[in-house]
Amino acid sequence: MNNNRQPLISFIITCYNLPVEMLAECIDNILTLSLGKDEREIVLVDDGSDTSLTGLLDEYGNEITYIRQTNKGISEARNTGLRVATGRYVQFVDGDDYLIPESYEQCLDIVRHEKPDMVLFKFTRTSPQHIRPTYKKASPVSGTQYMLNNNVRDTVCCYVFRKETHDGIWFTPGALYEDGEFTSQLILQANKIYDTDITAYYYRKRERSITTNKARRNIIKRLNDMEHVITRLDGLARKLPKEKEEALRRRIAQLTMDYIYNTVTFTRSKRQFTARIARLEAKGLFPLPKHNYTSKYTLFRIVSKNKAVRNVMSIILK
């Protein structure tokens, strides 16, 4: 940026070996937003792509800040973006996705007029041409109240947040389940959250992306990272005041349910299922807490607690 005025929003785009055309579409969508040059900052972090993007994005001139680092993974790429960003708010965008301008404008209105800590919105995997911007006026809640009463969406790209809110919170380097831990802590530190029904993010599924990689090694790594996140959040919960602990306990239970389900779905292994359940039990994280968070959670808790059902599941997996 060539001026001294603090941007309203820093858009942090991370990429690795993406087609320039795809990145250009991502950047172009940001440039169509109703933000002047002094209101926006676009930080593009290239996580060690095989070919440097230097010279390939010259058309954008000083509209973007391009940072190229050695390949360290998306967590470190996002941390780099956070260190560099100077905006009052932060919006993460994966380079192969993009924001839906007409819908995102409603999020910008909330940021401008309500001065929130966070605005939550939704994503779509279908063509954004069919999205019609809608927003029902919502009252703000604290992060603690939000987490006490809602299941948290992992995807960090579906939040625009005040940069000060992330103070002390970073993505765990090398993790494949990087969003879950970051978003949980971010929400707990927020005092004023607007949860919207706005669909403002287009998630493009690519066959070779990290989240669609079905290689067994990748699956085991992702499950292990998820287990580490649950364990670390459990340790954090023990240090929190009662209401915040209660809120985070709901989040941990939700993550644990997803972890068990993913173990069954993706490994189809009796050994993996048995070993992971045993580790959860040893840490006091299983059986799942007796709360009626949602009907799905209640049913899953009852079924998973039943040893006979687990034995049948193990036999099926075998």
Side-chain angles (χ1 to χ4, degrees):
M1 303 296 295
N2 295 320
N3 55 68
N4 296 321
R5 183 173 177 179
Q6 184 181 24
L8 178 64
I9 300 184
S10 292
F11 297 91
I12 299 175
I13 304 173
T14 53
C15 69
Y16 172 72
N17 283 348
L18 290 181
V20 174
E21 297 77 15
M22 187 171 279
L23 278 171
E25 189 171 9
C26 179
I27 296 169
D28 288 342
N29 275 271
I30 294 172
L31 293 178
T32 62
L33 296 170
S34 61
L35 292 165
K37 287 190 68 172
D38 60 346
E39 293 182 294
R40 67 170 178 258
E41 176 184 54
I42 302 176
V43 179
L44 175 60
V45 183
D46 177 358
D47 187 42
S49 297
D50 295 340
T51 303
S52 172
L53 296 171
T54 302
L56 299 178
L57 297 171
D58 285 348
E59 63 182 284
Y60 295 106
N62 61 2
E63 290 281 6
I64 64 173
T65 299
Y66 175 59
I67 300 171
R68 178 170 167 82
Q69 64 181 32
T70 57
N71 182 248
K72 300 176 183 179
I74 190 170
S75 293
E76 284 285 41
R78 286 176 174 169
N79 286 340
T80 296
L82 279 174
R83 293 186 188 99
V84 171
T86 63
R88 296 199 297 275
Y89 287 85
V90 171
Q91 174 67 63
F92 283 109
V93 187
D94 290 343
D96 47 355
D97 303 332
Y98 60 78
L99 297 169
I100 304 171
E102 287 187 4
S103 299
Y104 195 76
E105 287 291 348
Q106 295 179 314
C107 299
L108 288 178
D109 285 343
I110 298 171
V111 168
R112 287 180 176 122
H113 302 300
E114 306 297 342
K115 307 296 189 295
D117 290 320
M118 297 179 71
V119 178
L120 284 55
F121 52 91
K122 298 178 180 180
F123 72 87
T124 181
R125 287 188 172 92
T126 60
S127 175
Q129 281 81 8
H130 303 297
I131 299 297
R132 295 291 177 267
T134 58
Y135 171 52
K136 297 177 182 178
K137 182 69 173 179
S139 299
V141 296
S142 69
T144 301
Q145 285 299 315
Y146 178 79
M147 195 177 285
L148 276 170
N149 296 289
N150 297 275
N151 286 345
V152 173
R153 298 192 289 272
D154 284 338
T155 312
V156 72
C157 293
C158 286
Y159 303 99
V160 54
F161 60 92
R162 189 185 297 274
K163 191 169 188 288
E164 293 174 354
T165 307
H166 101 91
D167 186 35
I169 303 173
W170 301 94
F171 292 92
T172 301
L176 289 184
Y177 187 70
E178 67 281 350
D179 285 13
E181 186 174 14
F182 185 89
T183 55
S184 298
Q185 296 178 83
L186 192 67
I187 288 172
L188 273 184
Q189 289 197 174
N191 293 316
K192 190 178 181 182
I193 288 179
Y194 282 84
D195 180 27
T196 78
D197 57 352
I198 301 168
T199 301
Y201 190 90
Y202 180 39
Y203 173 79
R204 291 196 274 197
K205 186 175 181 180
R206 292 190 307 117
E207 288 304 315
R208 293 187 179 182
S209 70
I210 292 175
T211 53
T212 57
N213 189 339
K214 301 299 182 183
R216 184 166 183 81
R217 183 174 63 180
N218 203 64
I219 289 171
I220 297 302
K221 163 70 172 165
R222 191 170 181 83
L223 285 172
N224 288 343
D225 287 349
M226 195 172 186
E227 184 178 335
H228 293 326
V229 166
I230 293 169
T231 301
R232 286 195 294 269
L233 290 179
D234 175 59
L236 173 61
R238 298 172 189 273
K239 304 173 185 177
L240 294 174
K242 185 177 180 180
E243 189 177 31
K244 284 185 178 292
E245 178 182 6
E246 186 180 346
L248 188 53
R249 288 293 171 197
R250 171 176 175 144
R251 175 64 173 145
I252 293 168
Q254 176 195 350
L255 288 173
T256 305
M257 179 180 75
D258 292 343
Y259 170 74
I260 295 170
Y261 177 82
N262 289 341
T263 296
V264 173
T265 303
F266 294 121
T267 71
R268 300 289 180 182
S269 164
K270 177 184 177 181
R271 182 177 63 82
Q272 286 285 341
F273 176 73
T274 303
R276 291 178 186 277
I277 288 290
R279 289 203 296 271
L280 289 175
E281 285 181 314
K283 297 171 184 175
L285 295 167
F286 189 86
L288 294 169
K290 191 176 181 180
H291 291 290
N292 298 321
Y293 295 132
T294 64
S295 56
K296 177 182 176 181
Y297 173 83
T298 301
L299 178 61
F300 191 92
R301 176 182 60 79
I302 294 171
V303 170
S304 63
K305 185 179 179 181
N306 189 301
K307 288 187 177 181
V309 173
R310 295 212 306 274
N311 287 338
V312 170
M313 193 178 295
S314 295
I315 292 171
I316 293 173
L317 290 173
K318 184 177 180 182

